[in-house]
């Protein structure tokens, strides 16, 4: 495919994704029609259906773009010196997206975001140098459980945080999360189940 056609295709898809993103910041996903998206993006129905078979497929692409944007924050993770700073990078990103994410939470569609994030949990776990990463090699099964468990807990905390009318500042929540995650190893080191 020639570069200009590929670029046009990408820019049209991105325009549609941005339009849906902006609409979701204003109202629930279920209240948005394809017509609303077309009007916001300034494209024809035919153009929309050339790229997406439904608004749900566009939503999936929109969430993929959001996760990709999150991956661009990777260099900030590497600059973090303490676990609190690592959490703060994510929380600042999520805080910037809070209107969109809050709308997903309120409309019952946050699970779409959580699922997309979960699908990428192994990549996040392996590549972001997270403070809770286990040392040594993990087999695929263990890596899948560990990454999904930890990322899932984190995503749930973000949901609890962003649903609030006035969410706390990211640095405050980062401190609390760092404290929570740092206490987990201490708990299990001292845990001795009764026989």
């Amino acid at each position: 495919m020639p570069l200009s056609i590929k670029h046009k295709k990408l820019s049209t898809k991105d325009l549609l994704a941005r339009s849906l993103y902006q609409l979701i910041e204003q109202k629930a996903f279920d209240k948005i029609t394809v017509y609303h998206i077309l009007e916001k993006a300034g494209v024809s129905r035919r153009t929309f259906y050339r790229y997406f078979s439904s608004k749900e497929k566009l939503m999936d692409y929109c969430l993929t773009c959001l996760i990709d944007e999150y991956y661009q924050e990777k260099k900030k993770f590497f600059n973090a010196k303490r676990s609190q700073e690592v959490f703060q990078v994510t929380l600042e990103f999520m805080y910037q997206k809070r209107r969109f994410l809050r709308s997903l939470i309120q409309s019952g569609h946050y699970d779409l975001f959580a699922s997309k994030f979960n699908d990428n949990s192994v990549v996040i776990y392996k590549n972001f140098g997270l403070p809770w990463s286990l040392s040594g090699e993990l087999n695929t099964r263990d890596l899948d459980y560990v990454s999904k468990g930890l990322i899932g807990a984190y995503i749930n905390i973000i949901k609890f945080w962003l649903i609030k009318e006035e969410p706390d500042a990211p640095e405050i929540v980062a401190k609390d999360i760092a404290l929570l995650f740092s206490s987990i190893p201490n708990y299990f080191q001292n845990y001795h189940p009764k026989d």
Side-chain angles (χ1 to χ4, degrees):
M1 178 180 311
L3 189 58
S4 60
I5 294 173
K6 185 177 179 181
H7 179 51
K8 182 176 178 169
K9 179 180 177 182
L10 239 161
S11 62
T12 302
K13 287 176 77 170
D14 290 342
L15 172 65
L16 289 165
R18 273 193 311 277
S19 298
L20 178 59
Y21 181 93
Q22 291 168 354
L23 288 167
I24 289 173
E25 287 186 323
Q26 298 166 7
K27 58 184 162 186
F29 177 69
D30 292 339
K31 305 277 188 218
I32 299 168
T33 65
V34 171
Y35 176 77
H36 293 129
I37 299 165
L38 300 177
E39 189 175 58
K40 183 81 170 167
V43 300
S44 68
R45 181 173 289 278
R46 182 176 170 180
T47 299
F48 177 89
Y49 286 109
R50 183 178 306 140
Y51 299 109
F52 301 102
S53 59
S54 65
K55 74 173 186 173
E56 288 75 18
K57 293 292 185 187
L58 173 58
M59 173 63 126
D60 186 63
Y61 180 75
C62 187
L63 293 173
T64 297
C65 292
L66 188 64
I67 299 295
D68 289 345
E69 189 179 341
Y70 176 72
Y71 287 154
Q72 299 305 314
E73 301 288 298
K74 188 173 178 176
K75 64 182 175 198
K76 292 182 184 174
F77 282 90
F78 293 138
N79 293 332
K81 305 287 186 247
R82 300 174 304 148
S83 60
Q84 180 178 335
E85 293 169 353
V86 173
F87 292 118
Q88 192 167 333
V89 169
T90 297
L91 295 173
E92 285 174 354
F93 177 84
M94 299 299 176
Y95 192 76
Q96 290 171 8
K97 312 297 181 193
R98 72 185 176 280
R99 287 177 54 202
F100 174 80
L101 293 172
R102 192 163 195 272
S103 179
L104 290 182
I105 294 165
Q106 290 172 328
S107 68
H109 290 90
Y110 184 77
D111 286 347
L112 297 172
F113 172 73
S115 176
K116 185 66 84 172
F117 221 87
N118 240 341
D119 290 347
N120 291 278
S121 65
V122 171
V123 174
I124 293 167
Y125 184 88
K126 286 170 108 177
N127 293 308
F128 278 62
L130 299 170
W132 58 76
S133 295
L134 300 174
S135 57
E137 285 294 314
L138 293 174
N139 66 42
T140 304
R141 181 188 162 279
D142 292 343
L143 184 60
D144 203 35
Y145 275 102
V146 168
S147 67
K148 284 189 178 25
L150 293 171
I151 300 295
Y154 197 37
I155 289 296
N156 203 31
I157 290 168
I158 290 169
K159 178 181 179 181
F160 171 75
W161 170 53
L162 292 180
I163 194 60
K164 295 179 178 183
E165 210 47 58
E166 294 292 326
D168 294 321
E171 57 272 10
I172 293 170
V173 180
K175 185 178 177 183
D176 292 341
I177 294 174
L179 182 64
L180 167 70
F181 276 89
S182 67
S183 67
I184 292 172
N186 294 334
Y187 172 80
F188 284 105
Q189 284 176 346
N190 298 317
Y191 177 71
H192 302 288
K194 295 178 181 173
D195 295 320

